[in-house]
Amino acid sequence: MNEAFIIATLAAAIRAGTPVVYATIGEIFAERAGVLNLGVEGMMLVGAVVGFMVGVNTGSATTGLLAAMIAGGLLSLIHAFLTVTLYVDQVVSGLALTIFGTGLSAFLGQDYVGVSGPQFAALKIPVLSQIPFLGPILFEHDILVYLTFLLVPLAGYYIHRTRPGLHLRAVGENPATADVMGVSVARTRYFYVFVGGVLAGLAGANLSLAYTPGWIEGMTAGRGWIAVALVIFGFWQPGRAMLGAYLFGGVQSLQFSLQTIGVVIPVYFLGMLPYVFTVLVLIIATQEQVRRHIGAPAALGIPYKRGER
Amino acid sequence: MIHIRLEPRLSTPRWVSWASPVVSIILALMVGAVLIAAQGASPIEAYAAMYRGALGSGFGFAETLVKAIPLMLAGLGVAIAFRMQLWNIGAEGQLWMGAWAAAGVGLFLYAAIPMPPWLAILLMMLASMLAGGLWGAIPGALKAYLNVNEILTSLMLNSVAIFWVLYFVDILWRDPGGLGFPNTAPLDKAIWLPKLGALLFFLPPTHRVHLGLAFGIIAAAFMWYALSKMQWGYEVRVIGLNKRAAGFAGMPIARNIVLVMFLSGALAGLAGMSEVAGVAHRLQRGLSPGYGFTAIIIAWLAKLNPFAIILVSILFGGLLVAGEQIQMTMGLPASISLILQGLILFFVLAGDVLSQYRIRFR
């Protein structure tokens, strides 16, 4: 293995991991507020198709991206309404959202399969991309990749170092106490579920407008679910979750790079890799959580009913 | 801003419990109508075509029953796990593993060792249940002994299973005489699941409904008996409701988790066998259009009641047939039936709340 191969693989890992970074950060916000949203896959798919459709019709990838964020956000409000206002079981509501989103995206996108549309082009960052080794890995991507370099540290800072972040954690850990502190549990949960939906929509558009431009039914291929798994792997911390997403991206891009250097493994087994990887990652992360006494936000999955504290 | 407040009801009025699913379906159809109209088609025409296709003729109803078979088997499977608060969403992969094992027995073991056809069918059933069961037991064991989230592991294993089976369909077991279609050779006619024929006198004589329907009904009866009449069913419920209490009562928690996930997967595996031996008569791509996922909705709508699962499966079988129908006759995408499934579930979930709470606006 030579240096060019390593650089190409790592750069590909970052590109492949970026959509998952967005989806994972979004799910971290929702779960930090105490709402498990298993609808990420569905919201990503709708984001992918809406982003692409609007992109094609306006000719602007940026407009498509914004539309995808709105679409993801709106879908997430269904989940917020059912689980926060109506106390519906979060697992079932999220599954329903994924099924609905899968159907809706196929329905909306039927005339867009095989159409070509606008896309975010790669922008080399002038000075930084000249850094040996790291430059081509980190700084020869599209704008969506660079945005995650800002989003992830900001999300970590927001959650741990700001007052709204404190309220967010309070609502997820102990909603009754947050309520007494004067924080509206329902409003907080709605807001962060919506943030999760917006980021999932963005993640979908990242696929259809940048990573693999175009629309194909079911093009997320389980990435929304992998995002939910990476939240656990990341211990609900944006930074560690980003690392997990890049690991996933590495496994994903390994499929292609192994073929280019002539390693012969049937595509079927390469295709299994990301999913087997995710199962292994979950096992390892769960053991580490037990050892280090880290857990999910204490109120995750539990509806908050004021009268029944 | 309107504030909606929910007040717990002291008792559920009877009309609420039956009105909720009916109203849910009507509301889902109404939202679906908007989507169909947005595609420039007439919703009334589309729904009429859906009804004619799925229920309006004897042949249509027979096809509805054919589709209901894998749905009820997989639905019963996920329902067992849900009873214990185990979220097995891996029925799709378990179904594929069952189909793979059944095809292996039917194509190769039956050819290699002389045996009567009924024995081969029995072995196919056992093999499919073993394969699906073991595939379900993996997330079960990870949950029981390492506390790994079963929702995600069972889901990830779906993709692994499908890649595994496609490797056999496309490469190892591919029928060289298949004219380029990726599928295995057909099973010997002697080991196809028998059609129910004149037993279902109300259907046209050429219908395709097969013995798998009986598997579903028998499985539902077994499940009802095991869960509501046996000590074991009581344990499953208690473990689901409160693990700590079950532990103090000396119930074997880890063992039951693995066992329930095995049984859950075994039923989904049997669904795969019934598709291979009863419908496709070979292993092929597209064997399941997501039966394992629809099964989750069915189990939930049926409130995990085994007999209700049979009825809801027929309803959803009809929805799948209807979706194909409007795709063929009106050029609307078949994904409309997936959308309707999601919508029905949304409305039923919301409706269930009304059976427990009153709504107060202020």
Side-chain angles (χ1 to χ4, degrees), chain A residues 207-225:
Chain A
L207 289 175
S208 65
L209 293 171
Y211 182 60
T212 49
W215 164 250
I216 309 164
E217 227 175 87
M219 70 185 295
T220 50
R223 285 182 181 83
W225 291 102

Side-chain angles (χ1 to χ4, degrees), chain A residues 60-83:
Chain A
S60 153
T62 311
T63 317
L65 189 78
L66 291 175
M69 292 165 76
I70 294 170
L74 289 178
L75 267 191
S76 73
L77 289 180
I78 302 178
H79 184 67
F81 177 70
L82 285 173
T83 59

